[in-house]
Amino acid sequence: MKAKAADKIATAIIVVFSLFIVAVLLGLLGFILYRGLSHISWHFLTSVPQTIREGGGIGPQLFNSLFLLVLTLIITIPLGLGAGIYMAEYAKPGKITGAIRLVVEVLSSFPSIVVGLFGLLLIVNTFGFGFSLFSGALVLTIFNLPLMVRITEQAFRSVPKEQKEAGLALGLSKWKIITSVLFPVALPSIVTGTVLAAGRVFGEAAALLFTAGMSTPRLDFTNWNPLSPTSPINPFRPAETLAVHIWKINSEGIAPDAAEIAAGASAVLVILVLVFNLFARWFGNLLYKIMTASKRMG
Amino acid sequence: MKAIDERPVGIADNPRPGRFKKHHMEDFAGRSYTTICAILLIVIILSIVYFVASKGLATFFKDGVSFSEFLFGSKWDPDGNHGEPQFGVMPFIFGSFATSILAAVIASPLSICASLFMTEIVPGWGKKLLQPVIELLAGIPSVVYGFVGLTVIVPALRDMFPGQGIGIAAGSIVLSVMILPTITSIGTDALSSLPRGLKESSYALGATRWQTIYRVILPTVLPSILTGVVLGMARAFGEALAVQMVIGNAPHIPRSLFESASTLTSVITLDMGNTVMGTAHSNALWSMALALMFMTFIFVVIVRLLERRNRI
Amino acid sequence: MKFKKPLLMFCTLVLVLMLAACGSKNASDSGSTTGSGTATEDKPAAEETLSGSVLAVGSTALQPLVEQVAQKFMGESQYSKIQVQVQGGGSGTGLTQVSGGQANIGNSDVFAEEKLDADKAKELVDHQVAVVAMAAVTNPDAGVDSLTKQQLVDIFTGKVTNWKDVGGKDEKIVIVNRPASSGTRATFEKYALGTKTEDLQGSIQEDSSGTVKKIISETPGAIGYLALSYLDDKVKTLKYDGVEATEENVASGKYPVWAYEHMYTKGEPAPEVKAFLDYMTSDAVQNGDVVELGYIPASKMEVKRDKDGNITK
């Protein structure tokens, strides 16, 4: 009887705590959306920010966040996958790979402002990329690479050994096994990792202040020449992302509606993360289906 | 994986050279590609470590601050506004540890419960409900966390406890929400990778669910959960923007949880932009970054040891 | 997904590397035209259509002003070929970058001499573009509307810890300070308190004006200081020695808590940088944007101050 009672109490506690977490999230989301949603309008999403007048928007910032995400993923995914595959499949287990793993983990919880200053001195100044989207993407890659490598490595390692051995028995080359046997199976975890990495791109502020910059030049959205300084798709122009913009108006904004803009921008940012999560999940599933099917045909 | 490593596939004894050449090339290309990526990773890591170390060690070698004065001194006055410059970072180290340990204390039970909920209580929809929740929590930017902390948690604490609401308590509450996803996802992974026989034999013996969880499951996954907790603490240790907004940033060891305090990261974030590179003050901030790196390193080593115990 | 995958990855990598190469070329190109501006732009013929890019980095407090003026500047037809970039990062970063030659202009809230070594500060040319005044502010419930210099010193050094001792309510004083490295704090300590203060146990330090204002407006008994452009009725603005913090009082020298906003260049500025700085100090901007953003035009000041704080009429 006592054991049953304990069981009931414990279950109740676990359920209550879990619901508490859900409540915290709902509260957080509710708070952010409640404060922000009323301020979101088409005008807000598309117009440029104002320094002191009311009615500024977040158009360029929104675009910058998305564009920076694309740029960062273009750099991070191939590099992270490559290094992760190396660690999982090629590297001989030993002191050095152990050390790499160790430092990779240290790096992934390093304060972003330090990495940002590293980016400022090395990427912006020494390499001469200037305050630009590209510098920002490189710095974000530094953040995300450890995460991507770790996740890729784990995903590859968790593929059942039998699958690999079956491939070997068929006389497939190692690279072939990696790309057509292991990769599709590991893909869902890798997609999750990418989502987490992307979340960081949307949310990072401290490191981007010093690399992608805190201001956006006038953008001409009809100019799609990637080398023109006013073109939105020029990767070598400075760009203020949404998170940086929120930070900026929270700290030094003097527009009369600064608080509302910050709230609205926060809501947009959270919605962006939400949509991106859903999209990545859907995309991961799709990719999984396509890839496993292609394996069967090949 | 080791077995595969040692075996060069079809290089030496393949009877069909044409087909085999393509394999060989593929393999070579793949191998070089991944190796290049790994080398790049190493280069990046080494350059950051070198960069932080070279700046951070300048405090000790160039500015002549002694190691023990830096680590154990409790007075922080790097510009020498009141006599000799002093570089005691003890209050910040204390603040960092206090906030991250407290955050872990708050977050761990919640996370473990969430993991159990997803794997043991209602494995089906429990996971469907909580998994996205956890991932969303991880996706909320820290600027927003800090702002919500300042708008909601600080006033609430101010009303409930003596003091201004700002301080270690507020910092750890904000951090605990931020590290929930880390601990929960590692805990969930560990719980779902348990062999089913373990649970089933316990139930077969007539144990209740709680007895099974408490006596069988938790002891088995404890090292993994601890890994999650330590990694969560490491994340809390390195978080800057959100903490800086709610902790108050006074360079003193606080007398209560509700009094202004600082962490290593909050001071770095606050002062870095205001100092000029190469000055003693700036170097001291880099030394703090180095200290931070070192502590994170220790956290990771602890995780490693836990994982090793787990494997046996 | 057979052999194409690695190829694809390689292509991406190559593309990235190529982009990287272009980038460095672009940057170094613009660097050579803007860095010192000696070689190409000195010819008088170039005078009408200046081109190039200007990078101003530094003080986050000054950033909104410079950014707004930069937008206007680039809108003028004769300057349309100049790209002005304004970035934050803090006064220290600005001075580091301009002193190291990576930025054309370093925005700073303080004199370079206060942050940089003397020999490095000597290379920099000061352009004072505006005056920022700041006022002590309290949470509206403190019940005080004027403090003397001595009272402020007592509060910020921890001698007085309750508002009733300076004529207010019976309420504990909560100090909301700036970090010791902040230019705003340096100004406040120098001209309002006349002494450096220590960070007291339990005092709050925040760097950004927005956060400072938020905390003061919500914490009972809080006191801090803000630039005039941030003041509104959420916080109570105090008189200093009975003098109100108004533009006239600052301009006439009656109200002493103010500082210059500086835009430093290394040596004499290149033509396009000079064009921008001239535009910044032109009457249209000084009486327009500068006032609009809550600064006081440098030209309006009836008193001048050097880096040691000596005041001249």
Side-chain angles (χ1 to χ4, degrees):
Chain A
M1 207 55 217
K2 217 179 137 203
K4 283 238 171 89
D7 183 49
K8 278 208 178 113
I9 293 169
T11 309
I13 289 175
I14 291 173
V15 172
V16 165
F17 273 23
S18 305
L19 292 181
F20 177 70
I21 294 180
V22 178
V24 165
L25 178 89
L26 288 182
L28 255 172
L29 282 185
F31 179 78
I32 296 165
L33 295 179
Y34 169 75
R35 285 174 46 104
L37 274 184
S38 59
H39 201 75
I40 298 177
S41 63
W42 184 244
H43 172 79
F44 180 67
L45 292 178
T46 52
S47 58
V48 294
Q50 297 286 345
T51 317
I52 48 164
R53 273 175 289 275
E54 270 183 62
I58 52 164
Q61 283 73 21
L62 191 59
F63 179 83
N64 289 341
S65 280
L66 293 171
F67 188 43
L68 187 63
L69 174 75
V70 173
L71 268 182
T72 310
L73 290 185
I74 287 178
I75 305 175
T76 313
I77 292 181
L79 278 179
L81 278 183
I85 291 172
Y86 181 85
M87 300 283 274
E89 301 297 325
Y90 289 108
K92 295 199 176 61
K95 284 233 167 80
I96 297 177
T97 48
I100 295 175
R101 257 171 232 139
L102 201 76
V103 186
V104 161
E105 278 167 31
V106 171
L107 210 62
S108 56
S109 44
F110 208 52
S112 48
I113 190 158
V114 175
V115 182
L117 277 160
F118 169 79
L120 172 67
L121 294 186
L122 202 71
I123 300 170
V124 175
N125 290 347
T126 312
F127 293 166
F129 290 123
F131 288 94
S132 67
L133 277 164
F134 189 70
S135 304
L138 285 182
V139 162
L140 287 171
T141 301
I142 295 178
F143 276 121
N144 286 333
L145 209 50
L147 194 73
M148 278 300 286
V149 171
R150 198 182 143 92
I151 286 166
T152 311
E153 194 190 339
Q154 275 175 356
F156 269 82
R157 278 176 194 279
S158 61
V159 176
K161 228 179 176 174
E162 291 77 10
Q163 297 213 15
K164 220 187 289 180
E165 277 160 9
L168 281 175
L170 287 173
L172 295 176
S173 76
K174 182 153 188 182
W175 183 245
K176 187 92 184 161
I177 294 174
I178 291 174
T179 50
S180 24
V181 180
L182 303 183
F183 185 66
V185 186
L187 195 67
S189 321
I190 293 174
V191 168
T192 316
T194 316
V195 173
L196 287 175
R200 193 136 198 197
V201 176
F202 283 135
E204 183 53 54
L208 289 179
L209 298 179
F210 296 100
T211 49
M214 279 175 70
S215 66
T216 307
R218 270 170 312 163
L219 296 181
D220 177 3
F221 277 89
T222 54
N223 181 353
W224 293 95
N225 168 16
L227 296 176
S228 155
T230 57
S231 164
I233 55 165
N234 178 0
F236 299 105
R237 65 177 174 88
E240 181 192 29
T241 66
L242 210 48
V244 172
H245 190 62
I246 295 174
W247 181 84
K248 183 169 138 188
I249 44 187
N250 263 342
S251 34
E252 308 289 341
I254 46 177
D257 55 352
E260 287 84 39
I261 292 176
S266 305
V268 171
L269 199 55
V270 169
I271 294 172
L272 218 55
V273 173
L274 212 100
V275 169
F276 188 76
N277 274 13
L278 291 175
F279 170 76
R281 229 160 254 277
W282 168 81
F283 186 69
N285 282 337
L286 188 78
L287 221 55
Y288 181 70
K289 272 180 201 150
I290 293 173
M291 292 199 86
T292 42
S294 84
K295 188 184 75 179
R296 215 177 292 137
M297 279 187 277
Chain B
M1 153 228 151
K2 278 164 224 148
I4 296 162
D5 264 340
E6 315 311 334
R7 207 182 311 157
V9 178
I11 287 178
D13 43 354
N14 196 310
R16 282 179 298 171
R19 180 187 161 83
F20 150 77
K21 212 170 178 185
K22 191 182 155 216
H23 276 188
H24 191 57
M25 243 181 64
E26 254 179 42
D27 244 358
F28 177 73
R31 201 185 177 107
S32 350
Y33 164 65
T34 55
T35 314
I36 289 172
C37 289
I39 289 174
L40 232 122
L41 177 72
I42 297 171
V43 168
I44 291 175
I45 291 171
L46 284 184
S47 55
I48 291 195
V49 173
Y50 168 78
F51 185 76
V52 175
S54 67
K55 296 232 168 237
L57 290 176
T59 309
F60 309 112
F61 296 123
K62 211 178 109 229
D63 303 320
V65 179
S66 84
F67 227 68
S68 59
E69 185 198 330
F70 181 75
L71 279 184
F72 301 111
S74 63
K75 206 146 168 35
W76 172 252
D77 182 17
D79 291 329
N81 288 337
H82 316 283
E84 281 289 293
Q86 286 182 298
F87 298 93
V89 300
M90 192 66 210
F92 312 142
I93 294 180
F94 172 85
S96 281
F97 272 107
T99 38
S100 48
I101 289 174
L102 247 176
V105 167
I106 301 172
S108 305
L110 287 172
S111 307
I112 295 169
C113 284
S115 305
L116 288 172
F117 187 79
M118 278 192 269
T119 51
E120 305 300 325
I121 312 262
V122 266
W125 61 267
K127 191 151 190 151
K128 276 211 182 99
L129 173 74
L130 273 179
Q131 190 74 27
V133 166
I134 297 295
E135 269 170 33
L136 263 179
L137 281 179
I140 296 178
S142 56
V143 192
V144 175
Y145 270 118
F147 188 70
V148 173
L150 198 59
T151 323
V152 179
I153 294 172
V154 169
L157 288 176
R158 184 162 54 219
D159 293 341
M160 282 188 277
F161 300 97
Q164 304 109 41
I166 272 171
I168 287 180
S172 5
I173 291 174
V174 170
L175 279 176
S176 67
V177 182
M178 297 179 79
I179 64 173
L180 257 177
T182 313
I183 308 181
T184 311
S185 58
I186 292 175
T188 313
D189 284 351
L191 284 170
S192 48
S193 65
L194 274 183
R196 292 188 74 185
L198 203 66
K199 262 185 286 177
E200 278 158 10
S201 46
S202 167
Y203 285 132
L205 287 171
T208 62
R209 182 158 59 195
W210 173 239
Q211 281 169 332
T212 309
I213 291 174
Y214 183 69
R215 295 277 165 81
V216 181
I217 296 177
L218 281 186
T220 324
V221 296
L222 191 67
S224 304
I225 289 180
L226 281 178
T227 303
V229 172
V230 175
L231 278 181
M233 274 178 66
R235 161 117 206 253
F237 222 78
E239 172 53 45
L241 275 186
V243 183
Q244 180 237 310
M245 284 174 88
V246 297
I247 200 164
N249 308 308
H252 296 280
I253 295 179
R255 287 164 298 201
S256 84
L257 290 179
F258 308 102
E259 190 178 273
S260 175
S262 309
T263 66
L264 288 169
T265 47
S266 79
V267 175
I268 295 177
T269 313
L270 215 53
D271 281 351
M272 202 57 116
N274 287 328
T275 54
V276 168
M277 283 284 162
T279 55
H281 191 162
S282 167
N283 286 343
L285 294 176
W286 284 102
S287 306
M288 284 160 66
L290 187 65
L292 204 67
M293 206 180 219
F294 188 69
M295 309 242 181
T296 322
F297 183 77
I298 291 176
F299 277 128
V300 175
V301 170
I302 295 174
V303 168
R304 274 295 141 81
L305 294 177
L306 285 170
E307 274 172 354
R308 191 164 302 162
R309 242 189 76 195
N310 194 18
R311 227 170 277 148
I312 298 167
Chain C
M1 290 312 133
K2 279 143 218 152
F3 192 52
K4 278 173 194 139
K5 191 79 197 170
L7 248 177
L8 199 79
M9 286 175 168
F10 264 117
C11 290
T12 329
L13 195 72
V14 168
L15 188 79
V16 166
L17 287 176
M18 260 164 53
L19 279 175
C22 302
S24 63
K25 217 165 87 200
N26 276 357
S28 59
D29 278 357
S30 61
S32 63
T33 50
T34 59
S36 54
T38 45
T40 46
E41 309 281 350
D42 270 359
K43 293 171 205 136
E47 204 61 37
E48 278 95 45
T49 49
L50 281 172
S51 65
S53 65
V54 179
L55 174 61
V57 183
S59 161
T60 39
L62 186 54
Q63 198 191 354
L65 173 66
V66 183
E67 217 172 0
Q68 171 152 333
V69 175
Q71 293 292 339
K72 255 186 157 173
F73 177 74
M74 289 187 284
E76 304 269 337
S77 58
Q78 71 265 40
Y79 302 126
S80 59
K81 285 199 176 144
I82 304 179
Q83 277 286 326
V84 183
Q85 241 191 72
V86 187
Q87 305 294 351
S91 303
T93 309
L95 290 171
T96 313
Q97 296 270 308
V98 72
S99 169
Q102 292 98 357
N104 307 103
I105 299 173
N107 298 336
S108 172
D109 304 334
V110 294
F111 280 98
E113 286 79 1
E114 294 176 38
K115 295 251 179 204
L116 287 171
D117 297 337
D119 53 329
K120 275 193 181 160
K122 231 188 296 170
E123 297 171 356
L124 299 183
V125 179
D126 190 3
H127 306 268
Q128 296 168 350
V129 294
V131 165
V132 60
M134 47 198 87
V137 294
T138 66
N139 186 286
D141 79 340
V144 172
D145 64 1
S146 177
L147 287 176
T148 65
K149 180 176 179 176
Q150 192 52 45
Q151 282 172 326
L152 275 175
V153 172
D154 287 346
I155 288 173
F156 277 92
T157 52
K159 262 185 217 145
V160 169
T161 55
N162 195 306
W163 282 113
K164 70 173 186 238
D165 296 334
V166 287
K169 276 197 341 191
D170 180 9
E171 184 152 4
K172 204 170 166 288
I173 297 176
V174 178
I175 298 170
V176 185
N177 219 331
R178 309 285 178 125
S181 55
S182 148
T184 310
R185 171 154 168 183
T187 304
F188 187 76
E189 288 186 337
K190 206 164 178 180
Y191 303 118
L193 306 179
T195 169
K196 296 252 180 194
T197 59
E198 260 183 89
D199 298 317
L200 297 171
Q201 177 105 31
S203 69
I204 295 166
Q205 292 178 49
E206 287 296 344
D207 194 28
S208 67
S209 307
T211 316
V212 167
K213 183 171 153 192
K214 189 168 162 61
I215 293 178
I216 293 176
S217 66
E218 289 170 3
T219 310
I223 182 170
Y225 40 91
L226 286 169
L228 295 193
S229 48
Y230 291 94
L231 300 179
D232 61 20
D233 48 10
K234 282 185 196 152
V235 290
K236 169 97 187 141
T237 310
L238 299 184
K239 289 183 195 136
Y240 177 79
D241 274 336
V243 183
E244 229 175 306
T246 60
E247 195 184 316
E248 297 78 50
N249 287 341
V250 174
S252 65
K254 266 194 218 152
Y255 185 84
V257 194
W258 55 271
Y260 292 109
E261 292 287 7
H262 310 263
M263 291 173 79
Y264 280 99
T265 54
K266 191 174 186 180
E268 282 307 318
E272 67 273 15
V273 181
K274 188 167 186 312
F276 179 57
L277 288 169
D278 286 346
Y279 187 76
M280 190 87 200
T281 45
S282 68
D283 283 344
V285 170
Q286 289 286 319
N287 297 325
D289 306 81
V290 168
V291 176
E292 206 179 7
L293 269 85
Y295 295 96
I296 299 159
S299 56
K300 272 216 181 140
M301 295 300 292
E302 292 158 30
V303 290
K304 278 196 183 346
R305 195 142 69 185
D306 65 12
K307 62 179 188 293
D308 302 313
N310 301 319
I311 290 179
T312 46
K313 281 268 172 187

